[in-house]
């Protein structure tokens, strides 16, 4: 079921500063910031060749990233995203195995315009897992 690592997401308190550090200090290619109000985040993707790093900054009230940054003020790893061929089949398989899907259990549209789901971190050893239909 599990495919490639699509990205690793890092929550950051200052997206402009983080983007500049990746672009100017680390010499990476970065995208323009993209606001995703449905997810409560603004994202920048860093292309590192074999995968991407997703820099996340809170957007709007009740952003899931805001709570994370309260606990980790300087930022930190927020989630990993794996690709799947069929997100509904993956969801049904995971649910049958007892894993919990966050939210209402239905895919949302992610930063790449593709359906995504998040899995409860307590079911995957403390790491928030995103699945994206490739
Ligand atoms: Co993500």
């Amino acid at each position: 079921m599990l495919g490639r690592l699509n990205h690793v997401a890092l929550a950051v308190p200052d997206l402009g500063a983080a983007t500049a550090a990746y672009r100017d200090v680390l010499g990476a290619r970065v995208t323009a910031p993209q606001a995703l109000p449905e997810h409560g985040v603004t994202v920048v993707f860093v292309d590192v060749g074999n995968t991407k790093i997703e820099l996340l900054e809170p957007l709007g009230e009740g952003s899931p990233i805001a709570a994370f940054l309260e606990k980790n003020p300087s930022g930190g790893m927020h989630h990993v995203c794996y690709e799947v061929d069929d997100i509904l089949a993956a969801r049904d398989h995971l649910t049958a195995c007892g894993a919990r899907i966050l939210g209402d259990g239905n895919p949302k549209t992610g930063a790449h315009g593709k359906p995504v789901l998040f899995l409860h971190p307590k079911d995957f050893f403390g790491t928030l897992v995103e699945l994206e239909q490739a």
Side-chain angles (χ1 to χ4, degrees), residues 29-90:
R29 275 179 295 164
V30 301
T31 64
Q34 183 184 355
L36 298 175
E38 191 189 356
H39 295 274
V41 295
T42 304
V43 301
V44 164
F45 282 98
V46 181
D47 181 359
V48 292
N50 61 337
T51 190
K52 295 181 282 288
I53 302 299
E54 181 183 68
L55 303 174
L56 297 174
E57 183 183 65
L59 174 65
E61 295 295 308
S63 168
I65 303 302
F68 181 92
L69 286 171
E70 267 172 41
K71 289 182 218 145
N72 308 275
S74 55
M77 202 203 82
H78 186 262
H79 65 268
V80 294
C81 177
Y82 303 112
E83 296 177 359
V84 294
D85 289 333
D86 181 336
I87 201 154
L88 294 177

Side-chain angles (χ1 to χ4, degrees), residues 12-14 20 29 33 39-40 50 61-62 72 91 94 98 101 108 111-112 114 120 125 130:
V12 299
D14 181 336
R29 275 179 295 164
H39 295 274
N50 61 337
E61 295 295 308
N72 308 275
R91 177 195 62 189
L94 286 156
I101 311 294
K108 286 185 180 179
H112 306 110
K114 295 176 176 170
H120 201 297
F125 316 98
E130 179 181 16

